[in-house]
Amino acid sequence: MVPPVPESRRSNNLVIASAVFVVAPVTAPAQAETPLGYLRSFGAMAHAITPLTWGLLIISLVVCVIVIALVLGGIVLKRQAGHITAAIPLMRGGDGAGWVGLGVGISSVVLLGSMIWTVVVLAAINEPPSKPALTIEVTGQQWWWKVRYLSDDPSRILTTANEIHIPTGKPVRVELIGADVIHSFWVPLLSGKTDVIPGQTNVTWLEADRPGRYAGLCSEFCGVQHAHMGFEIVAQSPRDFEAWWNAQLKPAATTGSSVIARGATLFAYRCGACHTVRGTEAGGAVAPDLTHLMSRATIAAETLPNNVGNLSGWIANPQAIKPGTLMPTVYLSGPELNDIRSFLLTLK
Amino acid sequence: MTSSEVERTPEIASATTDHGRHLEQIWKTAPGIAGFFSTVDHKAIGKRYIVTAFAFLAAGGIEALIMRAQLTGPSEHLLSPEQYDQLFTMHGMTMIFLYAMPILSGFSNYLWPLLLGSRDMAFPRVNALSYWVYLAAGLFMYAGFAIGAGPNDGWFNYVPYSTRPYDPGLNIDFYSLGMIFLGISTSVGAVNFILTVLRTRAPGMSIDRLPIMVWGTLTASAANLLVVPAVSLAFFLLWMDRQFETHFFDVARGGQPLLWQHLFWMFGHPWVYAIVLPAMGMVSDGLPVFCRRPLVGYTVVALSTVATMILGFGVWVHHMFATGLPNLALSFFSGASFIVTVPSAVAVFAWTTTIWLGRPVITTAFLFFSSMIVLFVIGGVSGFMTAAVPVDWQLTHTYFIVAHIHYVLIGINVFPVVGGLYYWFPKMTGRLLDERLGKWNFWTMFVGFNLGFLPMHLSGLRGMPRRVYTYAEGMGWDWLNLITTIGSFLFAFGVLLLFVNLVASLRRGRIAGANPWDAPTLEWSVSSPPPPYNFAVIPRVASRHPLWEDRLAEGGAVRSSVTRGMVLDHGRETIATTPLDGEPDQILKMTGDSYAPFVLTLGMTVLFVALLRHWWWVVPVSGLAILAALLLWLWPERELDQVAETRS
């Protein structure tokens, strides 16, 4: 996970960052102190859940205060001097059943009310409020997210990774595919969790009111790098979203200096068995598609901000940054690393 | 001997010193090594359970502290991810399986015959077996950890991550076989508890006179008997998948990951109730002693114990709300999860009313028991929040749940258990625990616990996921984790004070006498520690509070008697009574000390090691050892009236 992009780095430039180091083309909303704090909501599903969360939280706090007051009050008011138990005479005492009945009665009414509220909310978010604008297939795997934008037009089907762009104001259907072990898909500010289970396709939906970046993460333990399996929802106005999609569909531009050409060849040879860069010979399918790598804010599933330094370090020794990651350490000489990096930096 | 021996009319007499000496000869365990490995005395077994469970508690606690050190601040590098994964798995496994249930089995083993007015558990050798198997299974699972192959997929051990392609080492094999092994201990122990309460109560102890703790353990045992097979089966299927490439959980060949989750949680949730109900029973029995009055609402509390368990069978899916099951099904389990709170509310209000309508004496035991009410409610309301499906979709897999489970397990298990130690330690050892150190012990544990675990709720509400070995800064979790770490070390210091108090008081504690608290139940009628035979004569029970009934004018015309009763001294004997009314039924011949349980455990240990290491040729050899032990165990004994006389 990466903290939200600070104000100074935000840019009003739309769709694609103009400079390599400037990421986050859209404004981040209210993720200030707590980017994953779900007591606030920014989308339709979360809007339905959050009042229930608050409601039950307040009931819970009130119950705690009452019981603590009852226990403490009883002890303070009724306590006997000294600590020799046998010295205090026994008593038959009152029956007390009425008090127990009263407490249980009130509790039951509160429980019943909460149960009904729960079912009402559950029914409300069972289906998205309107027909989904599009369907995104998200595949959870150790330890990153493959993202496919589905379309009836095969030429519009797009594969990317870890950064999920969606249009604002419309529900988006998310189909969750498990590639290896169980993961869980969670965007706290927009929706609850849905597990990603191999052998079954779970469906959820997302809707964001406003443009912004919303952090997401895997929330089911899935192996040694479960801690570094983040993703990000980037909500954009429908127009910006369309522009982004169109730009992403383009293959990588392969022209450039000899360094870049060398880098492209080297990349295809050393990295292309796992990674795809459309428009080049690199066509591997087991690792993230890097065709527009530099349009993304982070690398290694939200582990590091995407900049030259981090990119170099990651390529040189991924195991040092994310021990156990399935990306092997590929031994590269200094010049080789430089060539590959120069090539990657052109993938805007 | 003939069958008339068990159908004879027992002699009724008053206890005398000579009689006690005679019983001592019959019931005492041989000294030294021989006695150590052969004893079936429930008191020795109970104490072993308690000591062993506390040793595992200490191990699990140290694991937790290492993890907390790693999580003190963002991006710490004390542990590798793999080390962290093994630690959190071992911590969960240790606390839930090797501490929480066995500690309660320990108390129940020690106390039940004393509470019930019997001379031993129904099956003394089974009792010894359940302890030895528990110890062996615990060591078996820890052996994996010791060689760097500890379980590393969480105590819930979800497939497919725990299948061979993703986790190829011995880690999960240790866990799978260890859990099947441990299941044997739990199951035979459960059978023994159930039969003991049905069969070996003192005359007159009808079921409406049972201490609540007996209700708790009885209920938990019945549940264990029903649900342990589910988890043993799950681990067996997983082990088969891992060794022989069967396809129960292999998705590529039609296996079902959710099958694991159903089997695991069908077991797992009832288990959670099983590891709190006996402890709640300790509070129901102990708290009133320090309030100087009977428990308010005995009948509803007893019934709510059973009701919790029955409802507890219908809530397992609340661990699976996010797995994509249909919302209609989720609604049912959500409703059940709300309803299961009602019987807990009964207990909470019964305890609170007991304090208000009593005269509380502030002892250390009272502090632990009464603070448990507060911790129970905090853990209860966070559970109530997760019963709401949509809210659970946010809360689940976050530190909010970590807070919840610790308020439940530490609040409703550890606090009552420590209170129970302060309460019953004098009975077990003859010496009182130090009260001054006890107060320090309580306050450091109470403050440390809340300091450590209360902030976790907020970490969770701020989105911090569980089971991460590190976290980035800037998420709003940094200071919360720092406080949590400080609190957890303070809590650990509190537990250390408990250990200090136990060791110090064992040597120098004040002599307790038979009934230091002026408590009402039968265990306080005998000396501290009790003689090997428990009761010189079998007591006769006429009320719920045999030692209080004169002062409370309970029991009517017939009074309980602990000094005059059935003598039963033709060998190891106790009385069998009818299940509901506790009317005398038959004389029970009790089995004596035997090496069979220990040898049987050794045989099974060899079997499990052979299965782990694929030493197939050792399997039949261990099978022979097991058979030999069973023969030794079951060989008819004249003393048990199992050998018929051929000539008169």
Side-chain angles (χ1 to χ4, degrees), chain B residues 286-308:
Chain B
L287 187 72
V289 174
F290 300 101
C291 293
R292 310 310 294 144
R293 57 155 295 145
L295 175 69
V296 166
Y298 169 90
T299 309
V300 283
V301 173
L303 289 177
S304 71
T305 304
V306 179
T308 301

mmCIF file of all heavy atoms in Angstrom, chain B residues 286-308:
data_model
loop_
_atom_site.group_PDB
_atom_site.id
_atom_site.type_symbol
_atom_site.label_atom_id
_atom_site.label_comp_id
_atom_site.label_asym_id
_atom_site.label_seq_id
_atom_site.Cartn_x
_atom_site.Cartn_y
_atom_site.Cartn_z
ATOM 1 N N GLY B 286 -18.162 -18.747 40.869
ATOM 2 C CA GLY B 286 -17.206 -18.062 41.746
ATOM 3 C C GLY B 286 -17.683 -16.698 42.202
ATOM 4 O O GLY B 286 -17.549 -16.340 43.376
ATOM 5 N N LEU B 287 -18.244 -15.940 41.268
ATOM 6 C CA LEU B 287 -18.653 -14.568 41.587
ATOM 7 C C LEU B 287 -19.615 -14.504 42.789
ATOM 8 O O LEU B 287 -19.407 -13.688 43.693
ATOM 9 C CB LEU B 287 -19.276 -13.915 40.342
ATOM 10 C CG LEU B 287 -19.602 -12.429 40.445
ATOM 11 C CD1 LEU B 287 -18.319 -11.602 40.423
ATOM 12 C CD2 LEU B 287 -20.521 -12.002 39.301
ATOM 13 N N PRO B 288 -20.648 -15.364 42.830
ATOM 14 C CA PRO B 288 -21.595 -15.281 43.960
ATOM 15 C C PRO B 288 -20.936 -15.516 45.324
ATOM 16 O O PRO B 288 -21.372 -14.937 46.315
ATOM 17 C CB PRO B 288 -22.616 -16.385 43.649
ATOM 18 C CG PRO B 288 -22.538 -16.560 42.172
ATOM 19 C CD PRO B 288 -21.097 -16.346 41.833
ATOM 20 N N VAL B 289 -19.869 -16.345 45.350
ATOM 21 C CA VAL B 289 -19.199 -16.592 46.630
ATOM 22 C C VAL B 289 -18.696 -15.282 47.212
ATOM 23 O O VAL B 289 -18.826 -15.019 48.409
ATOM 24 C CB VAL B 289 -18.026 -17.576 46.439
ATOM 25 C CG1 VAL B 289 -17.227 -17.720 47.725
ATOM 26 C CG2 VAL B 289 -18.537 -18.922 45.954
ATOM 27 N N PHE B 290 -18.140 -14.429 46.306
ATOM 28 C CA PHE B 290 -17.586 -13.156 46.771
ATOM 29 C C PHE B 290 -18.661 -12.078 46.875
ATOM 30 O O PHE B 290 -18.393 -10.982 47.325
ATOM 31 C CB PHE B 290 -16.441 -12.723 45.855
ATOM 32 C CG PHE B 290 -15.332 -13.731 45.840
ATOM 33 C CD1 PHE B 290 -15.186 -14.624 44.792
ATOM 34 C CD2 PHE B 290 -14.459 -13.828 46.919
ATOM 35 C CE1 PHE B 290 -14.186 -15.582 44.798
ATOM 36 C CE2 PHE B 290 -13.460 -14.785 46.937
ATOM 37 C CZ PHE B 290 -13.320 -15.672 45.877
ATOM 38 N N CYS B 291 -19.879 -12.385 46.408
ATOM 39 C CA CYS B 291 -21.004 -11.474 46.609
ATOM 40 C C CYS B 291 -21.844 -11.914 47.801
ATOM 41 O O CYS B 291 -22.857 -11.308 48.115
ATOM 42 C CB CYS B 291 -21.876 -11.384 45.358
ATOM 43 S SG CYS B 291 -21.029 -10.602 43.985
ATOM 44 N N ARG B 292 -21.418 -13.006 48.400
ATOM 45 C CA ARG B 292 -22.033 -13.537 49.620
ATOM 46 C C ARG B 292 -23.502 -13.867 49.449
ATOM 47 O O ARG B 292 -24.318 -13.647 50.361
ATOM 48 C CB ARG B 292 -21.851 -12.544 50.808
ATOM 49 C CG ARG B 292 -20.458 -12.056 51.028
ATOM 50 C CD ARG B 292 -19.428 -13.154 51.092
ATOM 51 N NE ARG B 292 -19.571 -14.040 52.257
ATOM 52 C CZ ARG B 292 -19.324 -15.345 52.243
ATOM 53 N NH1 ARG B 292 -18.928 -15.934 51.129
ATOM 54 N NH2 ARG B 292 -19.481 -16.067 53.323
ATOM 55 N N ARG B 293 -23.876 -14.365 48.288
ATOM 56 C CA ARG B 293 -25.245 -14.778 48.043
ATOM 57 C C ARG B 293 -25.273 -15.754 46.866
ATOM 58 O O ARG B 293 -24.318 -15.827 46.114
ATOM 59 C CB ARG B 293 -26.138 -13.570 47.718
ATOM 60 C CG ARG B 293 -25.644 -12.747 46.519
ATOM 61 C CD ARG B 293 -26.781 -12.000 45.880
ATOM 62 N NE ARG B 293 -27.734 -12.949 45.311
ATOM 63 C CZ ARG B 293 -29.048 -12.769 45.279
ATOM 64 N NH1 ARG B 293 -29.564 -11.676 45.762
ATOM 65 N NH2 ARG B 293 -29.834 -13.685 44.746
ATOM 66 N N PRO B 294 -26.367 -16.489 46.709
ATOM 67 C CA PRO B 294 -26.463 -17.375 45.542
ATOM 68 C C PRO B 294 -26.545 -16.563 44.247
ATOM 69 O O PRO B 294 -26.922 -15.384 44.256
ATOM 70 C CB PRO B 294 -27.765 -18.140 45.789
ATOM 71 C CG PRO B 294 -28.086 -17.953 47.227
ATOM 72 C CD PRO B 294 -27.519 -16.629 47.621
ATOM 73 N N LEU B 295 -26.213 -17.231 43.164
ATOM 74 C CA LEU B 295 -26.313 -16.608 41.842
ATOM 75 C C LEU B 295 -27.762 -16.234 41.546
ATOM 76 O O LEU B 295 -28.683 -17.007 41.805
ATOM 77 C CB LEU B 295 -25.818 -17.608 40.785
ATOM 78 C CG LEU B 295 -25.950 -17.189 39.314
ATOM 79 C CD1 LEU B 295 -24.981 -16.052 38.996
ATOM 80 C CD2 LEU B 295 -25.680 -18.373 38.387
ATOM 81 N N VAL B 296 -27.942 -15.039 40.998
ATOM 82 C CA VAL B 296 -29.277 -14.643 40.543
ATOM 83 C C VAL B 296 -29.617 -15.430 39.268
ATOM 84 O O VAL B 296 -28.797 -15.527 38.356
ATOM 85 C CB VAL B 296 -29.314 -13.126 40.263
ATOM 86 C CG1 VAL B 296 -30.572 -12.747 39.480
ATOM 87 C CG2 VAL B 296 -29.239 -12.345 41.561
ATOM 88 N N GLY B 297 -30.811 -16.007 39.230
ATOM 89 C CA GLY B 297 -31.293 -16.632 37.995
ATOM 90 C C GLY B 297 -30.566 -17.902 37.612
ATOM 91 O O GLY B 297 -30.257 -18.108 36.436
ATOM 92 N N TYR B 298 -30.307 -18.783 38.609
ATOM 93 C CA TYR B 298 -29.589 -20.031 38.314
ATOM 94 C C TYR B 298 -30.181 -20.759 37.113
ATOM 95 O O TYR B 298 -29.467 -21.157 36.190
ATOM 96 C CB TYR B 298 -29.618 -20.948 39.546
ATOM 97 C CG TYR B 298 -29.150 -22.357 39.270
ATOM 98 C CD1 TYR B 298 -27.815 -22.701 39.400
ATOM 99 C CD2 TYR B 298 -30.043 -23.337 38.831
ATOM 100 C CE1 TYR B 298 -27.372 -23.986 39.122
ATOM 101 C CE2 TYR B 298 -29.610 -24.630 38.542
ATOM 102 C CZ TYR B 298 -28.274 -24.939 38.688
ATOM 103 O OH TYR B 298 -27.842 -26.206 38.402
ATOM 104 N N THR B 299 -31.503 -20.920 37.128
ATOM 105 C CA THR B 299 -32.132 -21.754 36.103
ATOM 106 C C THR B 299 -31.962 -21.146 34.714
ATOM 107 O O THR B 299 -31.595 -21.845 33.757
ATOM 108 C CB THR B 299 -33.628 -21.947 36.416
ATOM 109 O OG1 THR B 299 -33.743 -22.390 37.761
ATOM 110 C CG2 THR B 299 -34.248 -22.956 35.477
ATOM 111 N N VAL B 300 -32.198 -19.836 34.593
ATOM 112 C CA VAL B 300 -32.060 -19.234 33.260
ATOM 113 C C VAL B 300 -30.604 -19.218 32.808
ATOM 114 O O VAL B 300 -30.316 -19.364 31.621
ATOM 115 C CB VAL B 300 -32.659 -17.810 33.172
ATOM 116 C CG1 VAL B 300 -34.165 -17.874 33.080
ATOM 117 C CG2 VAL B 300 -32.184 -16.915 34.286
ATOM 118 N N VAL B 301 -29.685 -19.076 33.760
ATOM 119 C CA VAL B 301 -28.272 -19.097 33.372
ATOM 120 C C VAL B 301 -27.886 -20.494 32.864
ATOM 121 O O VAL B 301 -27.218 -20.638 31.837
ATOM 122 C CB VAL B 301 -27.360 -18.655 34.540
ATOM 123 C CG1 VAL B 301 -25.897 -18.846 34.189
ATOM 124 C CG2 VAL B 301 -27.621 -17.195 34.880
ATOM 125 N N ALA B 302 -28.347 -21.516 33.572
ATOM 126 C CA ALA B 302 -28.054 -22.882 33.128
ATOM 127 C C ALA B 302 -28.663 -23.144 31.755
ATOM 128 O O ALA B 302 -27.998 -23.682 30.855
ATOM 129 C CB ALA B 302 -28.596 -23.882 34.144
ATOM 130 N N LEU B 303 -29.901 -22.731 31.586
ATOM 131 C CA LEU B 303 -30.558 -22.956 30.296
ATOM 132 C C LEU B 303 -29.902 -22.132 29.191
ATOM 133 O O LEU B 303 -29.762 -22.590 28.056
ATOM 134 C CB LEU B 303 -32.048 -22.607 30.393
ATOM 135 C CG LEU B 303 -32.890 -23.575 31.226
ATOM 136 C CD1 LEU B 303 -34.325 -23.096 31.325
ATOM 137 C CD2 LEU B 303 -32.850 -24.982 30.609
ATOM 138 N N SER B 304 -29.478 -20.922 29.525
ATOM 139 C CA SER B 304 -28.864 -20.084 28.482
ATOM 140 C C SER B 304 -27.518 -20.661 28.064
ATOM 141 O O SER B 304 -27.084 -20.484 26.923
ATOM 142 C CB SER B 304 -28.733 -18.640 28.944
ATOM 143 O OG SER B 304 -27.749 -18.530 29.936
ATOM 144 N N THR B 305 -26.848 -21.376 28.982
ATOM 145 C CA THR B 305 -25.606 -22.055 28.609
ATOM 146 C C THR B 305 -25.880 -23.050 27.489
ATOM 147 O O THR B 305 -25.192 -23.071 26.465
ATOM 148 C CB THR B 305 -25.033 -22.803 29.834
ATOM 149 O OG1 THR B 305 -24.857 -21.867 30.883
ATOM 150 C CG2 THR B 305 -23.726 -23.478 29.509
ATOM 151 N N VAL B 306 -26.913 -23.848 27.694
ATOM 152 C CA VAL B 306 -27.259 -24.855 26.692
ATOM 153 C C VAL B 306 -27.766 -24.164 25.413
ATOM 154 O O VAL B 306 -27.400 -24.552 24.298
ATOM 155 C CB VAL B 306 -28.322 -25.822 27.252
ATOM 156 C CG1 VAL B 306 -28.702 -26.852 26.210
ATOM 157 C CG2 VAL B 306 -27.781 -26.501 28.511
ATOM 158 N N ALA B 307 -28.562 -23.120 25.589
ATOM 159 C CA ALA B 307 -29.129 -22.420 24.429
ATOM 160 C C ALA B 307 -28.028 -21.809 23.568
ATOM 161 O O ALA B 307 -28.084 -21.846 22.332
ATOM 162 C CB ALA B 307 -30.095 -21.340 24.900
ATOM 163 N N THR B 308 -27.003 -21.250 24.218
ATOM 164 C CA THR B 308 -25.888 -20.661 23.467
ATOM 165 C C THR B 308 -25.284 -21.695 22.533
ATOM 166 O O THR B 308 -25.018 -21.437 21.361
ATOM 167 C CB THR B 308 -24.802 -20.161 24.430
ATOM 168 O OG1 THR B 308 -25.369 -19.188 25.291
ATOM 169 C CG2 THR B 308 -23.635 -19.561 23.684
#
